[in-house]
Amino acid sequence: MEYVHSQSDFKLNENLTLVDKVETDLLEFFNDKQFKAGDVIPKEIELSAQLGVSRTVLREALLRLRMRGMLDTKKKRGTVITNPDLLSLIEKTLYPGILDNATLRDIFELRMVMEIGMGDLIFERVTQNDIDELYAIVANEPINTEDMLFDSEQEIRFHGKLYDITGNETLRRFQRMLLPIFKYVHESGILKKQVQQKKFVSHRGIVDVIQHGTPEALRNAMRNHFENHFQRLF
């Protein structure tokens, strides 16, 4: 693959700087060479010649990749490819108060879609101990809970346990990030539409489905559990 640029190449998109282009070229180069986490990349002088750019520009592009957690410097080895923490940048910037309403609404929807889709993972990995723990979490809830909305602490305890059951660490981290957003959107007035609250599947009802039902039944129960929120959205 040819990476060397002429001056006219950099005028094709004025929104991209030279460093932006070199950063992209570096990633394409690493992919072409099939570099994996732990592999040592070529020295700066080799990369500079390969990409046809100055070492100053190259260093800035490499620095960006280091800041994204994609490169690291190892003593006696040089610069190596690392396995980036995909969620770290999101975690550092996900503050509800500084996000615009459209983004908050998208995140609000994302959390519900994720939980509705977790049915197969939950049924594949749930144990009786997990189910017993879920019943313990809902034990102090009123018997007739279909008409009430729970406080954030109860939501975190119950839904957090569902994420734990999936055994998927990325999902668990998303849950920790998204719950404050969900609460903020719900309470901030962004979704101002007044709805006629309907009966929805309670936490206890969800546990009953996990104990006796199927993944499909759980997906339907979760969709119904979020019914009042979906009314506000649609």
Side-chain angles (χ1 to χ4, degrees):
M1 179 175 179
E2 183 62 52
Y3 301 95
V4 178
H5 299 287
S6 67
Q7 289 299 316
S8 61
D9 291 333
F10 300 112
K11 296 179 181 179
L12 293 178
N13 187 341
E14 295 181 357
N15 293 323
L16 294 179
T17 67
L18 177 55
V19 177
D20 291 330
K21 296 179 186 300
V22 174
E23 182 181 0
T24 299
D25 281 350
L26 278 169
L27 293 175
E28 292 178 354
F29 175 77
F30 297 155
N31 185 63
D32 290 344
K33 298 297 183 182
Q34 298 184 339
F35 285 148
K36 304 296 182 184
D39 289 344
V40 179
I41 68 173
K43 297 182 183 303
E44 285 185 5
I45 191 169
E46 299 175 46
L47 287 172
S48 177
Q50 179 73 39
L51 301 180
V53 295
S54 71
R55 293 178 68 177
T56 301
V57 171
L58 176 69
R59 285 170 184 161
E60 187 172 346
L62 289 170
L63 178 60
R64 289 187 182 183
L65 296 182
R66 284 190 178 92
M67 293 175 65
R68 289 165 58 184
M70 304 181 75
L71 295 176
D72 194 14
T73 301
K74 299 293 184 181
K75 189 175 181 179
K76 297 182 179 179
R77 293 194 66 200
T79 302
V80 300
I81 303 287
T82 57
N83 187 40
D85 185 343
L86 299 178
L87 300 183
S88 62
L89 291 178
I90 300 176
E91 288 174 330
K92 292 174 183 177
T93 56
L94 203 59
Y95 291 93
I98 64 174
L99 298 176
D100 63 31
N101 288 357
T103 301
L104 289 169
R105 182 188 177 99
D106 287 347
I107 295 172
F108 185 88
E109 295 173 355
L110 175 62
R111 182 229 166 172
M112 292 190 292
V113 171
M114 284 171 54
E115 295 197 20
I116 292 169
M118 294 194 312
D120 289 280
L121 281 179
I122 289 173
F123 269 82
E124 180 67 26
R125 296 168 180 170
V126 70
T127 67
Q128 189 57 49
N129 286 339
D130 290 325
I131 294 174
D132 292 343
E133 186 174 341
L134 285 170
Y135 275 124
I137 291 172
V138 304
N140 294 326
E141 294 181 2
I143 298 297
N144 298 315
T145 60
E146 290 85 354
D147 294 313
M148 67 174 289
L149 297 175
F150 292 100
D151 62 35
S152 59
E153 290 185 4
Q154 182 67 0
E155 286 286 299
I156 291 171
R157 283 194 297 270
F158 181 80
H159 290 272
K161 179 58 182 176
L162 295 182
Y163 281 87
D164 287 342
I165 292 171
T166 69
N168 186 301
E169 180 58 25
T170 299
L171 278 175
R172 284 196 287 256
R173 288 179 65 186
F174 260 122
Q175 187 255 352
R176 291 193 291 270
M177 288 188 291
L178 299 186
L179 271 177
I181 297 286
F182 197 81
K183 182 174 184 291
Y184 179 87
V185 172
H186 180 62
E187 296 179 350
S188 67
I190 292 173
L191 303 178
K192 296 179 180 179
K193 179 180 177 181
Q194 296 298 314
V195 299
Q196 180 180 0
Q197 290 196 358
K198 300 179 181 179
K199 287 185 177 294
F200 56 88
V201 175
S202 65
H203 288 157
R204 186 183 300 274
I206 290 172
V207 185
D208 288 341
V209 172
I210 295 173
Q211 176 77 84
H212 303 291
T214 64
E216 182 64 25
L218 180 57
R219 284 190 288 273
N220 290 333
M222 291 298 294
R223 172 61 179 81
N224 182 272
H225 181 66
F226 290 128
E227 176 60 32
N228 290 323
H229 296 314
F230 272 101
Q231 284 189 67
R232 290 185 176 90
L233 289 170
F234 307 118

